[in-house]
Amino acid sequence: MEKRLIKKDALSGIINKLSEQMLVYAPVKDEDNVLFKVLEKGMEPLADYSNTRNAPKNFFFPKTETMMRYMRTERGIELSGEGEGAPEMVLFGVRPCDARSFILLDKVFDQEKYKDPYYIDKREKTTIISLACVHPPYSTCFCTSVGGHPMSSEGADVVLTDLGDKYLAEFVTPKGEKLLEKMGDLSKADDAAEATKEELSKKSEEAITSHVAGREIKPWLDENFEHPFWDTIHQSCLACGTCTYLCPTCHCFDISDEVKGSDGKRIRTWDSCMYWLFTKETSGHNPRTSQKQRWRQRLMHKFKYFVDNFDAIACVGCGRCVMYCPVNIDIRKIVNDISKL
Ligand code: SF4
Ligand code: SF4
């Protein structure tokens, strides 16, 4: 693995140099928010922000995406695609929990049985530079309880660790190493930098104060589809879907056709298991009519079904659903309550 040192005041110039060669998305300040935006000349990429409110999943799995277009003609229906596909792109400044979410999304969209060409095209053409959480930003972070770490490199091609006056840059994949060639001359990392990183890694893990029994509840979930506990968690839920839309690992979608005259397009849009309409079938039957059933599904999907199917929990512990639920439903509490049953 190639390792380099980047002086703090040189980072912005290096990322801007990349943006002259390819499309670069980076976190930038936007009024009270931090958003990933296309980096244009003179824009300052943020390297010391906490995290974005929206997870970066939309780069590979957009909120709305045209899958194909069609036209009714006298010869029948003619199909056409959507242009040439995604451009080469760099996604700079992803936090480790969100970088790890891409590995979980890969399990769904790029698996042996099913390959989603829309997702895979964008994912393959994107190089991800993550920023290690030397100081985990929120009390709601619980990445260490679900298989992650604040300084994990999972899902990243390049990991930057803030060592004070410089960054340690680790080029962890061949894609990352290819990017190194475009970054210009950078000095090699020394043993002292690696030792500092090790020390910071231990401290960052200790700084995570939320501990959730994420891995322990599976046996209970296996046995308790019907249990009075499920009557307790959904009571205040508004079914707004905020938790699922902000979640970096939620990936449910709906497919519909928009037709105007003889032209049509097939589009895919994000959907949410928190919605009544989500499971409504064409016959009118709805197998999940209550919010209780929908909340059970959300929890079961993340901590049981995904584990059964892919041997991983479908939660990276980013804490977004905890922070932004308007009625303060806290998935950490639910999981920990289950662990005591
Ligand atoms: S954010 Fe809260 S209120 Fe909205 S659907 Fe999720 S759990 Fe329910
Ligand atoms: S379930 Fe909540 S904490 Fe877990 S990844 Fe999704 S938004 Fe983050």
Side-chain angles (χ1 to χ4, degrees):
M1 187 204 310
E2 296 290 340
K3 298 183 183 190
R4 297 287 188 276
L5 294 175
I6 300 176
K7 284 202 181 113
K8 269 232 170 122
D9 55 8
L11 182 68
S12 178
I14 290 171
I15 303 303
N16 270 293
K17 191 172 155 198
L18 285 177
S19 73
E20 288 164 14
Q21 304 168 67
M22 60 179 73
L23 189 63
V24 175
Y25 278 90
V28 290
K29 196 109 181 88
D30 182 272
E31 294 182 359
D32 291 340
N33 282 319
V34 173
L35 301 173
F36 283 98
K37 287 193 172 180
V38 176
L39 201 66
E40 285 167 3
K41 215 177 162 104
M43 278 165 87
E44 189 73 17
L46 289 179
D48 59 352
Y49 76 112
S50 304
N51 204 354
T52 49
R53 181 175 297 207
N54 292 320
K57 66 181 174 185
N58 63 301
F59 286 102
F60 309 129
F61 170 47
K63 283 176 198 130
T64 302
E65 178 168 37
T66 302
M67 303 174 84
M68 64 170 182
R69 292 178 185 275
Y70 50 86
M71 195 162 56
R72 281 173 227 269
T73 68
E74 285 169 4
R75 296 179 299 281
I77 292 191
E78 285 179 7
L79 304 178
S80 60
E82 266 293 275
E84 292 170 2
E88 292 283 334
M89 180 172 105
V90 167
L91 192 49
F92 168 81
V94 176
R95 287 294 174 197
C97 54
D98 289 340
R100 194 164 167 265
S101 77
F102 301 143
I103 300 283
L104 299 174
L105 294 176
D106 288 349
K107 291 177 188 291
V108 177
F109 291 110
D110 189 7
Q111 53 175 286
E112 213 179 305
K113 278 192 290 191
Y114 173 73
K115 298 210 174 283
D116 186 293
Y118 309 96
Y119 174 92
I120 293 171
D121 180 44
K122 293 185 262 295
R123 181 80 168 94
E124 281 180 349
K125 289 177 183 162
T126 304
T127 306
I128 293 159
I129 305 179
S130 81
L131 282 172
C133 290
V134 172
H135 304 290
Y138 304 115
S139 61
T140 46
C141 296
F142 62 95
C143 53
T144 49
S145 297
V146 284
H149 189 281
M151 287 174 59
S152 159
S153 63
E154 267 187 283
D157 298 300
V158 183
V159 182
L160 298 183
T161 304
D162 186 341
L163 301 182
D165 58 345
K166 55 185 173 291
Y167 291 97
L168 169 65
E170 294 170 289
F171 296 82
V172 290
T173 65
K175 240 195 230 177
E177 285 178 1
K178 229 171 129 196
L179 199 68
L180 172 58
E181 293 163 17
K182 295 187 166 71
M183 286 178 150
D185 263 352
L186 300 174
S187 58
K188 292 240 182 207
D190 49 19
D191 291 347
E194 294 200 29
T196 310
K197 188 204 153 184
E198 282 310 307
E199 213 173 292
L200 291 171
S201 176
K202 279 188 211 124
K203 283 190 184 151
S204 70
E205 187 176 339
E206 284 161 15
I208 299 278
T209 51
S210 272
H211 299 290
V212 176
R215 283 171 280 210
E216 287 85 330
I217 61 168
K218 170 82 166 52
W220 187 90
L221 296 176
D222 284 340
E223 300 295 325
N224 289 285
F225 189 79
E226 301 291 352
H227 189 282
F229 176 78
W230 297 116
D231 289 316
T232 63
I233 58 175
H234 68 286
Q235 304 280 358
S236 57
C237 179
L238 307 171
C240 64
T242 301
C243 48
T244 52
Y245 281 5
L246 296 185
C247 178
T249 65
C250 279
H251 53 267
C252 291
F253 58 82
D254 187 26
I255 292 177
S256 54
D257 280 18
E258 279 182 4
V259 182
K260 203 170 168 193
S262 54
D263 295 338
K265 60 178 180 179
R266 182 153 298 171
I267 56 171
R268 162 158 86 180
T269 45
W270 288 2
D271 205 342
S272 168
C273 60
M274 290 284 115
Y275 298 156
W276 179 83
L277 211 54
F278 179 65
T279 42
K280 191 178 174 204
E281 296 168 5
T282 316
S283 65
H285 171 64
N286 193 336
R288 279 187 225 134
T289 49
S290 68
Q291 203 59 17
K292 164 189 162 178
Q293 291 168 312
R294 293 190 273 275
W295 238 108
R296 178 174 60 195
Q297 165 63 23
R298 175 165 156 76
L299 208 88
M300 284 280 194
H301 192 184
K302 291 195 172 296
F303 294 92
K304 171 177 160 49
Y305 306 142
F306 209 86
V307 181
D308 286 339
N309 290 331
F310 303 115
D311 201 21
I313 294 171
C315 166
V316 291
C318 70
R320 285 184 178 90
C321 60
V322 181
M323 276 191 279
Y324 299 112
C325 172
V327 292
N328 299 323
I329 294 180
D330 186 336
I331 199 165
R332 298 170 304 169
K333 181 174 179 337
I334 294 169
V335 170
N336 284 341
D337 284 351
I338 289 178
S339 75
K340 290 178 201 137
L341 290 171

